[in-house]
């Protein structure tokens, strides 16, 4: 998409080139376990247009998806400079690289931008000392989905199990 957007009267240049061809997103952080809050920042999307005496306001939106282009997480307004910022909490998915996708729905044709978030496995233990191992509960997130699991402590097998389809497990 290309065109001239008039932003006179808003402390901005009188005309600004509108383009979504170079749209991009960044993630902060780019990796972490399930439960991590991730900030998504996007730029060079189709800018919203401020209302004035001769132009009605037009608010453009970016839709964002995780962990694939089929799972819509939310939409957020794009500002007058073609940027947006939003966040999400990483849900239960297997460990590894997953793309966060942003779709500029106002671009013609629509423009996709993506960035990779790496889910890291996380293990939480309830035992504070080795003496409490017999009564310990273990909770894991971000492991391989539906996979065999062996838990060892000091070389001895403590428990066996299988991770869930959402890559989690809980053993006592």
């Amino acid at each position: 998409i290309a065109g001239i957007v008039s932003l006179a009267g808003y402390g901005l240049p009188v005309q600004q080139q509108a383009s979504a061809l170079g749209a991009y997103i960044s993630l902060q952080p780019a990796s972490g376990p399930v439960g991590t809050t991730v900030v998504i920042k996007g730029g060079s999307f189709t800018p919203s247009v401020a209302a004035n005496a001769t132009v009605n306001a037009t608010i453009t939106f970016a839709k964002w998806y995780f962990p694939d282009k089929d799972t819509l997480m939310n939409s957020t307004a794009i500002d007058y400079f073609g940027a947006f910022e939003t966040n999400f909490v990483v849900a239960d998915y297997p460990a590894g690289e997953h793309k966060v996708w942003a779709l500029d729905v106002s671009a013609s044709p629509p423009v996709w931008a993506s960035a990779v978030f790496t889910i890291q496995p996380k293990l939480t233990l309830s035992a504070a000392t080795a003496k409490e191992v017999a009564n310990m509960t273990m909770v894991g997130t971000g492991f391989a989905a539906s996979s065999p699991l062996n838990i060892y402590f000091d070389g001895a097998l403590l428990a066996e199990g299988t991770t869930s389809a959402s890559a989690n497990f809980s053993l006592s």
Side-chain angles (χ1 to χ4, degrees):
I1 180 169
I4 301 296
V5 177
S6 175
L7 300 172
Y10 293 92
L12 303 171
V14 174
Q15 293 185 332
Q16 176 177 327
Q17 187 69 30
S19 175
L21 296 177
Y24 64 90
I25 62 171
S26 65
L27 307 175
Q28 185 59 34
S31 64
V34 169
T36 299
T37 298
V38 180
V39 175
I40 306 170
K41 292 183 181 181
S44 295
F45 283 75
T46 304
S48 294
V49 178
N52 64 31
T54 59
V55 178
N56 291 330
T58 303
I59 305 298
T60 59
F61 290 90
K63 293 182 178 181
W64 56 275
Y65 301 76
F66 178 80
D68 52 48
K69 284 185 177 178
D70 296 324
T71 308
L72 175 64
M73 297 296 288
N74 212 335
S75 344
T76 189
I78 300 169
D79 69 18
Y80 305 122
F81 299 102
F84 70 88
E85 182 175 327
T86 189
N87 64 62
F88 73 101
V89 176
V90 176
D92 292 334
Y93 291 105
E97 293 184 349
H98 300 273
K99 282 194 177 180
V100 176
W101 293 91
L103 172 62
D104 186 339
V105 296
S106 298
S108 181
V111 173
W112 289 92
S114 67
V116 173
F117 183 83
T118 303
I119 296 178
Q120 300 168 333
K122 179 180 178 183
L123 179 63
T124 304
L125 306 174
S126 65
T129 68
K131 293 178 183 178
E132 299 173 348
V133 170
N135 299 319
M136 176 171 53
T137 299
M138 294 166 274
V139 177
T141 59
F143 284 77
S146 304
S147 296
L149 178 70
N150 294 327
I151 304 291
Y152 294 87
F153 180 77
D154 203 19
L157 180 64
L158 289 180
E160 297 178 284
T162 303
T163 60
S164 69
S166 60
N168 299 326
F169 69 88
S170 178
L171 299 172
S172 296

